[in-house]
Amino acid sequence: QDMEFDYSELRGMIVAKFGTCAKFAKAVNIDPATLSIKLKRTGFKGREVVDICEVLNIPSEDVGRVFFTPRVKDSLTEEVKA
């Protein structure tokens, strides 16, 4: 299973600057439904990370924290899925 990342800080930045994920998706030229899937499951490709950093003014020293913090799994959630 691939590692999943916690995008809660990124979501906060998106809402703070754009108000909605849909407006942000338009700004970075990603379909809103695709953005939702990327935030929930699949993550972002290199070029997308660069584009998002430019649009949200994320400094390079914050990229690791914003995009690559592992998601902590809730053991109760895992039991329900099993």
Side-chain angles (χ1 to χ4, degrees):
Q1 179 174 338
D2 290 336
M3 180 180 288
E4 293 181 5
F5 298 106
D6 178 354
Y7 294 117
S8 56
E9 184 174 1
L10 178 60
R11 285 178 182 274
M13 293 173 162
I14 290 169
V15 172
K17 185 159 184 177
F18 287 89
T20 67
C21 284
K23 289 178 184 175
F24 171 75
K26 186 174 182 179
V28 292
N29 202 28
I30 297 175
D31 181 84
T34 301
L35 176 64
S36 178
I37 291 167
K38 288 177 179 289
L39 286 167
K40 289 178 185 169
R41 286 193 301 274
T42 62
F44 298 90
K45 294 185 173 27
R47 183 72 235 174
E48 293 168 334
V49 171
V50 171
D51 292 343
I52 290 167
C53 286
E54 288 175 1
V55 169
L56 293 175
N57 299 313
I58 300 171
S60 58
E61 61 267 18
D62 292 346
V63 169
R65 187 186 74 246
V66 173
F67 288 93
F68 303 107
T69 297
R71 179 179 293 158
V72 176
K73 303 231 181 218
D74 181 337
S75 59
L76 181 62
T77 303
E78 289 303 306
E79 289 174 17
V80 171
K81 288 181 183 174

